[in-house]
Amino acid sequence: MNDIVVSMKNINKNFSGIKVLKNVNLNIYKGNVMALIGENGAGKSTLMKILTGVYLKTDGEIYLNGNEVNFNDTRSSQEAKISIIHQELNLINDLSIGENIFLGREPVSSSGRILWNVLFENTKPFLQKLGLNEDPKEIVKNISVGKQQLVEIAKSLSTDAQVIIMDEPTGALTPAETKKLFQVINELKNEGKSIVYISHRLKEIFEICDDVTILRDGETIGEFPINELSEDSIIEMMVGRKLSEQYPKVETKIGNEILKVENLSNKFVNDVSFSLNKGETLGVAGLMGASRTELMRTIYGIYSYVNGEIYIDNNKVKINSPMDALNAGIAYVTEDRKSNGIITGMNIKENITLSSLKNFRGKFGFLNKSKEEDESVSYMKNMSVKATGTEQLLKFLSGGNQQKVSIAKCLMTNPKILIMDEPTRGVDVGAKKEIYDLINKFKKDGMSIIVVSSDIPEILGICDRIMVMHEGHVSGFLDMKNATQENIMTLAVGKEVHPNDIA
Amino acid sequence: MTLLKNKIFKNKPLIVLVVTCIIIALLNNRFLTSGNILTVLRQTSINAVIATGMLFVILTGGIDLSVGSVLGFCGAIAAFMVSSGFNVIIVVLLTLMLGIIIGLGNGLLITAGRLQPFIATLGTVTLLRGIILVFTQGKPIKLGNTPKSEIFSKIGTGFLGPIPIPVYIMILIFIIAFYILTHTRIGRYIYATGSNEEATLYSGIKTDKVKLFVYAFSGMMAALAGILITARLGSAQPTAGGGYELDAIAAVVLGGTSMAGGIGTIAGTAVGALIIGILNNALNLMQVSSYYQDVAKGLVILIAVLLDRKQKSSR
Ligand SMILES: Nc1ncnc2c1ncn2[C@@H]1O[C@H](COP(=O)(O)OP(=O)(O)OP(=O)(O)O)[C@@H](O)[C@H]1O
Ligand SMILES: [Mg+2]
């Protein structure tokens, strides 16, 4: 076994009296990748925030190269060469890529003037390393979420850290970008650097990690070399029980056409036509940049369209705003929950009911707060949102639980058509299953669902039909007979699937 | 016990209020007389009404610098209407309506015109003040000595029982604002818009309408304050309301409201307005020169806000 670089011992953390971490242990070895896994809310991010001085531990010890250390702020952990890529993006949207990467560490001349050319030159190698083909001067808000994630990673690489913590780094990455990241991780290992890797994607854990530490409900279940574990044994330890089949399929009666989109065009999408039937789940696959999200936002009334028609139940509708869409029976679970899916400063109840407040009218037009409370409680139960109660602020929920709240908000509007954009991003295996079960339940009730996902097994597992997009237009449809990983990828890169490829 | 302790110490503005009162009462024995308390409440009412409108605006993440000028403008129009013999109820309604219209104007500049709230309302300040001066020729407008002006004056000078009428109006406004903010949809939307406008929009809410509402409400509150002042003084001064926006903002912030939007309560704002009212009153009672009054007021505001900040940043 390699040398221990960091060792966290008996870490406890309370948030206003609630124990979130109980005697947690974690070792980080030199030149190794340690996976840190557990369900949503298990305490992974909290543990890492303690290591990096974002939160203060309630008690416990942290050793760095054998010496006890105390990081009271992020600066001191950075000085100890520990760097973290947080689960949520923390870039400054109005600054350029280069400025973000060197924020607070800008190269300056002897007179204190910022050497912009040097800064942008220094940015390039890091972008290259990650295969990010962007100008260092590009403003961050103009690049995709996946690329922003890569910028975060580049930022962390540029600090020359000995320990790099990656909290769900691949959530927004394409398969190609993920591959590139893994190459970089391997290089880092060879340079003797240590990595903590947090992910809900077990495939990635097996591919890139050397050891695994499993957390459950704020307790350490154990530390194991990866080759002693199987996917099933990990899940069992994480969840505390055996999970039944990952993609439960229900046969529902697929009814009449409920949504028809005809020749839709705007500055993002080009001549898109498709239809959706009652009780059907349509998967939308494609690579980053295929404008899947933009298409959904157009249908949901965020972007306007210049050409084309949208019909619901054979009636032409004009959707100019999310309000129109909701009134027409379309709800949309956004891809980027922190910026437009949830309101982190408000509580669970207020978030869940936000889109459907008009259903809570009580006496004199005032809100019927007891009904609001009751319904929120029942949605929280239904979706197993883990929290202290309906009044907990969203910012204190783990990522996966935030996602459930975001879905619950949409479901509460009782939509006919539910569009879900990357619905299980950052959601643990157990909760994923719960979301799939919910999708099936709503299907049974006759709801029609569109699932945009970059997770191809997920699309194959839960959909009845798949639409593949490439650079703003539809490159093909696949039904379940000929839906394979290969066929999806072929269409996704814009090639055609030949009839004889179709089994 | 710890819960109770938590509740009390969480409420920093209230602590500042109580401590200020105790100190002043020890320094000056006239402070805690019932007569003086009623005076303080009456003097506070104007700022409290404006601050309530300001709270709504700040909760959405905006700011309304125009309230002082709206007060002056609406007060002048009200005085003009009363002196021209309009019915008092009509005067009040028309004046409030005028405040709403000006507020909607601010709102439109901000939503349809995509101007920053600071810039848009700053423009309105100068514009309105100019119009007032043109309209009044720089001279006060007297209410006159008609029966109608007598009735109108009562709004600012009258009593119901021992309590001045403006105090009732202030309390009524607090209650209405409380219900709007905590028990209605628009109230929830105000907080949501200030916390995360994009997510609010995605949730199917027309955030532009929410903003129009808060600026219109703020305009109406400023107009109401204009009525109160004009009625109290018996005339409308062309410079009335100058600088009032700062006292209103101070009251809102003292009450623990975040200037970034999304966080704040009407109770906090009420306490904030009271703190400022009490300071003004006490400094006058103690005959502190007006230069030092500003110094003292500024210090108390800064200390209170700093205390609040410290509390919030604990990890
Ligand atoms: N600042 C906070 N205040 C109060 N509770 C918090 C705070 N931060 C986290 N929590 C709670 O601590 C628990 C652990 O959260 P954490 O974010 O560490 O989970 P996680 O394992 O990273 O989950 P995920 O996989 O969903 O990201 C959760 O129950 C969460 O609600
Ligand atoms: Mg996390």
Side-chain angles (χ1 to χ4, degrees):
Chain A
M1 185 112 308
N2 286 344
D3 300 343
I4 295 184
V5 183
V6 172
S7 155
M8 302 181 77
K9 290 216 163 87
N10 295 319
I11 303 290
N12 285 290
K13 175 67 185 173
N14 299 353
F15 281 117
S16 38
I18 296 165
K19 274 200 156 134
V20 171
L21 295 177
K22 296 159 222 159
N23 292 321
V24 171
N25 296 312
L26 176 76
N27 295 318
I28 306 173
Y29 302 98
K30 192 168 167 58
N32 272 20
V33 182
M34 171 62 80
L36 181 59
I37 60 176
E39 287 185 284
N40 294 132
K44 306 177 294 290
S45 301
T46 305
L47 186 65
M48 291 301 99
K49 284 180 183 167
I50 288 174
L51 178 56
T52 49
V54 179
Y55 291 151
L56 304 178
K57 59 182 189 286
T58 308
D59 75 88
E61 296 113 54
I62 302 176
Y63 297 91
L64 177 65
N65 299 319
N67 305 316
E68 185 165 0
V69 286
N70 259 315
F71 299 135
N72 292 322
D73 51 30
T74 48
R75 178 144 230 145
S76 46
S77 72
Q78 278 161 13
E79 277 161 8
K81 299 219 166 293
I82 299 177
S83 137
I84 183 165
I85 303 159
H86 283 288
Q87 190 169 5
E88 311 85 28
L89 293 171
N90 283 300
L91 299 174
I92 301 178
N93 281 327
D94 290 311
L95 293 184
S96 67
I97 294 177
E99 285 168 286
N100 265 292
I101 290 181
F102 289 102
L103 192 67
R105 298 176 292 130
E106 293 85 355
V108 288
S109 71
S110 51
S111 63
R113 193 172 52 85
I114 295 183
L115 302 167
W116 291 109
N117 289 336
V118 177
L119 186 149
F120 290 122
E121 271 315 305
N122 290 350
T123 305
K124 280 183 188 156
F126 294 107
L127 300 189
Q128 246 158 34
K129 210 169 186 176
L130 291 162
L132 187 57
N133 287 325
E134 290 285 346
D135 184 347
K137 292 183 184 148
E138 184 63 68
I139 302 298
V140 160
K141 70 172 167 214
N142 297 336
I143 63 177
S144 70
V145 184
K147 287 182 174 166
Q148 291 178 5
Q149 182 74 59
L150 290 177
V151 172
E152 283 274 15
I153 295 170
K155 181 173 174 178
S156 159
L157 295 183
S158 73
T159 61
D160 188 37
Q162 293 304 306
V163 177
I164 301 179
I165 300 156
M166 304 185 175
D167 197 347
E168 295 195 34
T170 56
L173 301 189
T174 63
E177 286 166 343
T178 303
K179 222 166 148 188
K180 202 85 193 183
L181 173 66
F182 286 177
Q183 275 173 21
V184 172
I185 291 181
N186 279 322
E187 279 169 35
L188 291 170
K189 274 175 68 174
N190 291 337
E191 292 165 19
K193 301 193 168 155
S194 314
I195 285 151
V196 178
Y197 192 86
I198 300 178
S199 176
H200 289 295
R201 300 184 175 164
L202 297 182
K203 298 246 157 34
E204 294 178 357
I205 305 282
F206 280 97
E207 188 174 342
I208 196 72
C209 299
D210 302 294
D211 304 280
V212 182
T213 297
I214 300 176
L215 293 187
R216 184 166 80 221
D217 286 336
E219 292 180 67
T220 327
I221 300 299
E223 180 194 313
F224 312 90
I226 187 78
N227 46 30
E228 283 179 12
L229 297 175
S230 69
E231 205 163 300
D232 286 341
S233 62
I234 291 188
I235 292 177
E236 206 178 322
M237 283 191 276
M238 262 167 65
V239 190
R241 67 195 142 88
K242 276 206 163 69
L243 276 191
S244 50
E245 199 200 342
Q246 171 83 21
Y247 299 111
K249 194 101 191 199
V250 293
E251 287 308 320
T252 53
K253 218 175 81 234
I254 293 189
N256 298 334
E257 181 178 274
I258 183 143
L259 171 74
K260 185 158 80 179
V261 172
E262 264 186 354
N263 309 104
L264 203 67
S265 295
N266 61 11
K267 70 172 180 246
F268 307 107
V269 298
N270 184 5
D271 201 23
V272 170
S273 302
F274 70 92
S275 66
L276 177 71
N277 298 323
K278 200 166 153 58
E280 184 184 37
T281 305
L282 175 71
V284 181
L287 301 175
M288 289 280 156
S291 295
R292 292 169 298 166
T293 293
E294 284 74 8
L295 173 62
M296 297 309 147
R297 288 186 181 173
T298 306
I299 295 172
Y300 188 61
I302 304 276
Y303 302 135
S304 55
Y305 49 97
V306 278
N307 274 321
E309 243 79 73
I310 297 176
Y311 299 86
I312 290 180
D313 279 333
N314 290 319
N315 297 318
K316 188 162 142 185
V317 290
K318 182 73 194 159
I319 293 173
N320 288 318
S321 67
M323 190 192 249
D324 292 348
L326 286 167
N327 288 338
I330 302 176
Y332 176 57
V333 180
T334 65
E335 162 191 49
D336 183 358
R337 66 172 167 264
K338 195 180 169 197
S339 56
N340 47 37
I342 54 169
I343 299 180
T344 53
M346 293 179 89
N347 68 31
I348 297 181
K349 178 168 54 182
E350 290 162 339
N351 269 280
I352 294 188
T353 57
L354 189 57
S355 290
S356 40
L357 267 192
K358 59 172 178 292
N359 300 337
F360 294 93
R361 191 173 317 169
K363 267 190 234 125
F364 317 120
F366 288 152
L367 291 175
N368 182 342
K369 291 206 167 180
S370 58
K371 184 178 170 202
E372 190 188 10
E373 171 73 22
D374 293 346
E375 299 235 336
S376 309
V377 168
S378 93
Y379 271 78
M380 274 178 73
K381 271 221 189 84
N382 252 326
M383 308 206 47
S384 349
V385 176
K386 214 191 253 173
T388 54
T390 53
E391 312 254 310
Q392 191 167 14
L393 295 185
L394 265 273
K395 66 175 152 208
F396 298 144
L397 290 189
S398 74
N401 283 307
Q402 292 178 344
Q403 179 70 359
K404 291 186 191 170
V405 170
S406 167
I407 296 174
K409 175 178 73 177
C410 290
L411 290 178
M412 210 179 241
T413 65
N414 260 323
K416 288 189 256 185
I417 300 159
L418 179 65
I419 304 176
M420 304 173 105
D421 203 343
E422 304 288 356
T424 60
R425 180 178 287 171
V427 172
D428 71 57
V429 275
K432 253 187 198 170
K433 173 96 190 319
E434 287 162 11
I435 290 177
Y436 299 147
D437 285 339
L438 278 168
I439 290 181
N440 283 333
K441 180 165 162 271
F442 288 103
K443 258 180 82 167
K444 265 198 205 135
D445 298 345
M447 196 188 291
S448 312
I449 298 163
I450 299 178
V451 178
V452 176
S453 176
S454 303
D455 185 346
I456 293 184
E458 168 174 298
I459 288 231
L460 290 172
I462 62 173
C463 298
D464 301 311
R465 201 157 54 95
I466 297 169
M467 170 167 100
V468 188
M469 291 184 67
H470 172 68
E471 293 185 351
H473 64 264
V474 175
S475 53
F477 290 91
L478 296 166
D479 54 27
M480 288 338 277
K481 280 202 311 291
N482 48 40
T484 60
Q485 192 124 3
E486 293 73 48
N487 282 344
I488 292 179
M489 284 320 288
T490 312
L491 289 171
V493 296
K495 293 198 202 115
E496 276 178 31
V497 174
H498 295 293
N500 51 348
D501 290 348
I502 293 177
Chain B
M1 189 60 212
T2 51
L3 196 77
L4 187 70
K5 224 165 94 187
N6 256 334
K7 273 234 160 78
I8 293 173
F9 282 94
K10 256 194 151 153
N11 211 329
K12 280 276 154 72
L14 202 57
I15 300 176
V16 174
L17 177 68
V18 172
V19 171
T20 321
C21 284
I22 293 175
I23 295 176
I24 296 171
L26 291 176
L27 289 176
N28 192 305
N29 56 10
R30 287 214 326 263
F31 176 68
L32 273 187
T33 58
S34 62
N36 188 53
I37 291 175
L38 289 176
T39 308
V40 171
L41 288 176
R42 199 197 63 228
Q43 287 168 344
T44 303
S45 62
I46 306 244
N47 186 30
V49 165
I50 304 175
T52 301
M54 187 67 78
L55 170 69
F56 278 47
V57 172
I58 290 181
L59 281 176
T60 64
I63 189 102
D64 186 354
L65 298 180
S66 71
V67 286
S69 314
V70 176
L71 178 156
F73 184 71
C74 291
I77 299 287
F80 173 75
M81 286 193 285
V82 172
S83 65
S84 322
F86 280 58
N87 176 301
V88 172
I89 294 180
I90 305 242
V91 172
V92 170
L93 290 180
L94 283 180
T95 309
L96 294 180
M97 194 76 78
L98 184 64
I100 292 176
I101 291 169
I102 298 171
L104 283 176
N106 279 331
L108 282 174
L109 288 172
I110 291 158
T111 54
R114 302 262 153 248
L115 290 183
Q116 295 278 342
F118 191 97
I119 307 294
T121 56
L122 191 62
T124 320
V125 172
T126 321
L127 180 71
L128 283 181
R129 196 57 75 187
I131 296 177
I132 299 170
L133 289 172
V134 171
F135 176 70
T136 63
Q137 297 292 317
K139 291 192 279 285
I141 301 180
K142 298 230 166 58
L143 290 179
N145 271 327
T146 62
K148 277 179 182 152
S149 70
E150 292 282 300
I151 303 175
F152 185 80
S153 296
K154 282 275 183 298
I155 301 174
T157 55
F159 285 81
L160 269 181
I163 298 170
I165 289 177
V167 176
Y168 288 105
I169 294 179
M170 167 175 81
I171 292 171
L172 182 70
I173 293 297
F174 283 156
I175 293 174
I176 293 173
F178 173 79
Y179 271 95
I180 294 179
L181 287 180
T182 59
H183 284 76
T184 68
R185 264 197 281 163
I186 183 76
R188 190 67 64 75
Y189 295 164
I190 288 172
Y191 283 101
T193 303
S195 301
N196 184 340
E197 188 175 344
E198 200 180 332
T200 309
L201 196 72
Y202 271 70
S203 298
I205 291 139
K206 302 231 156 138
T207 49
D208 278 358
K209 281 197 185 154
V210 176
K211 289 187 196 166
L212 285 178
F213 174 84
V214 295
Y215 286 97
F217 184 77
S218 176
M220 184 168 97
M221 289 301 110
L224 177 59
I227 293 173
L228 289 175
I229 287 194
T230 306
R232 165 115 198 112
L233 300 178
S235 68
Q237 304 293 329
T239 53
Y244 278 33
E245 59 279 355
L246 298 182
D247 270 0
I249 295 170
V252 172
V253 173
L254 272 178
T257 303
S258 154
M259 290 295 284
I263 301 172
T265 61
I266 189 70
T269 301
V271 170
L274 272 177
I275 294 175
I276 292 183
I278 286 171
L279 278 178
N280 282 335
N281 172 268
L283 295 168
N284 276 332
L285 278 184
M286 294 187 266
Q287 295 173 338
V288 177
S289 97
S290 68
Y291 300 154
Y292 283 106
Q293 285 198 14
D294 280 351
V295 174
K297 241 165 76 181
L299 282 177
V300 172
I301 291 173
L302 286 177
I303 291 170
V305 179
L306 277 176
L307 277 177
D308 204 32
R309 199 45 61 212
K310 247 210 151 118
Q311 164 106 18
K312 277 179 189 143
S313 64
S314 68
R315 290 181 286 175

